[in-house]
Amino acid sequence: MNHTQLIGRICRPIVVKTTQSNSRYVKNTLAINHYDHNGKKQTDFIPFVAWNALCDSLAKYQDQGDEIAISGHLLSGHYTNQKGEEVYTLEVVCEAIEFLRKKQGNIDQKTTATLDDIPIQNIEVQVAKG
């Protein structure tokens, strides 16, 4: 089974890119805080990718610093860099994203966006498989 669920903050501004086959995607990183065995606060930085409908929703409603929950599967890969070194990669391919809290200045607030005057909270978008 390959499934992961994470909650964290978006590290960088959302930038939508398009492949040659016109698929849209966002690659970003999720900052996830935790405490080590000595009680010291640590942060892990986990790369993720969101495609098409998830990408569009992320770009429309979220920004750097906002807290989201992602669920999906891990995808590993590798490539040879310009120095001839083998580089291994690991990222979460999002299958669902839930918007949790907006970051506004130094104050976290729950997300309340409006779409055609309908309040929206904790938006979750599912990707159809097949």
Side-chain angles (χ1 to χ4, degrees):
M1 178 186 297
N2 181 356
H3 186 80
T4 187
Q5 296 178 315
L6 301 168
I7 294 175
R9 295 201 174 275
I10 301 167
C11 288
R12 295 183 312 276
I14 306 286
V15 177
V16 176
K17 296 184 179 180
T18 305
T19 66
Q20 290 179 346
S21 61
N22 290 325
S23 292
R24 296 167 316 287
Y25 68 96
V26 166
K27 284 190 175 225
N28 210 305
T29 303
L30 205 59
I32 302 169
N33 293 326
H34 64 90
Y35 294 89
D36 67 13
H37 63 280
N38 293 321
K40 184 177 177 186
K41 187 177 179 179
Q42 302 288 319
T43 304
D44 291 324
F45 297 93
I46 310 297
F48 70 90
V49 61
W51 290 91
N52 297 318
L54 288 176
C55 165
D56 296 342
S57 294
L58 200 58
K60 186 171 183 176
Y61 296 110
Q62 299 296 282
D63 202 356
Q64 181 177 359
D66 292 345
E67 186 178 59
I68 61 173
I70 62 174
S71 64
H73 63 274
L74 293 174
L75 179 66
S76 62
H78 62 91
Y79 64 92
T80 304
N81 67 15
Q82 293 179 346
K83 296 178 182 178
E85 303 165 329
E86 194 77 10
V87 177
Y88 292 89
T89 62
L90 186 65
E91 67 185 359
V92 177
V93 178
C94 295
E95 296 168 5
I97 300 175
E98 186 172 342
F99 302 162
L100 301 178
R101 288 186 285 176
K102 299 290 284 178
K103 173 122 181 170
Q104 296 180 351
N106 293 329
I107 302 171
D108 293 336
Q109 296 189 2
K110 292 204 179 241
T111 301
T112 304
T114 58
L115 180 63
D116 298 326
D117 298 322
I118 300 171
I120 299 171
Q121 284 190 308
N122 296 340
I123 299 168
E124 183 173 336
V125 180
Q126 299 285 338
V127 175
K129 296 182 180 180

